[in-house]
């Protein structure tokens, strides 16, 4: 059974290109990782806001 953290890592790998490095160098790979994590977090925030709005109205 996967925990929430493992689930998000799997999502980043499968759907957001983290299976392979898109750029060369540690700095650029860090930027790719940070941006990917940002996108996954924003998607989660949007999902939570939509759930809250549907529960209210």
């Amino acid at each position: 059974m996967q925990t929430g953290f493992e689930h998000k890592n799997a999502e980043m790998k499968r759907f957001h290109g983290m299976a392979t490095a898109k750029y060369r160098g540690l700095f650029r790979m860090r930027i790719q990782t940070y941006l990917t994590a940002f996108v996954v977090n924003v998607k989660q925030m949007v999902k939570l806001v939509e759930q809250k709005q549907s529960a209210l109205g």
Side-chain angles (χ1 to χ4, degrees):
M1 186 166 112
Q2 288 186 341
T3 64
F5 185 73
E6 291 169 344
H7 177 72
K8 289 299 173 187
N9 283 338
E11 177 185 347
M12 289 192 295
K13 185 176 177 183
R14 273 191 229 130
F15 303 117
H16 298 286
M18 291 302 297
T20 59
K22 302 231 185 286
Y23 308 102
R24 293 179 66 169
L26 183 59
F27 177 73
R28 291 182 178 136
M29 189 61 211
R30 280 185 181 158
I31 294 209
Q32 178 185 348
T33 304
Y34 294 152
L35 290 175
T36 302
F38 177 77
V39 167
V40 170
N41 287 326
V42 169
K43 282 177 52 179
Q44 182 66 27
M45 285 188 277
V46 168
K47 183 178 176 182
L48 291 172
V49 168
E50 288 175 349
Q51 287 176 352
K52 187 174 181 179
Q53 286 178 347
S54 66
L56 294 176

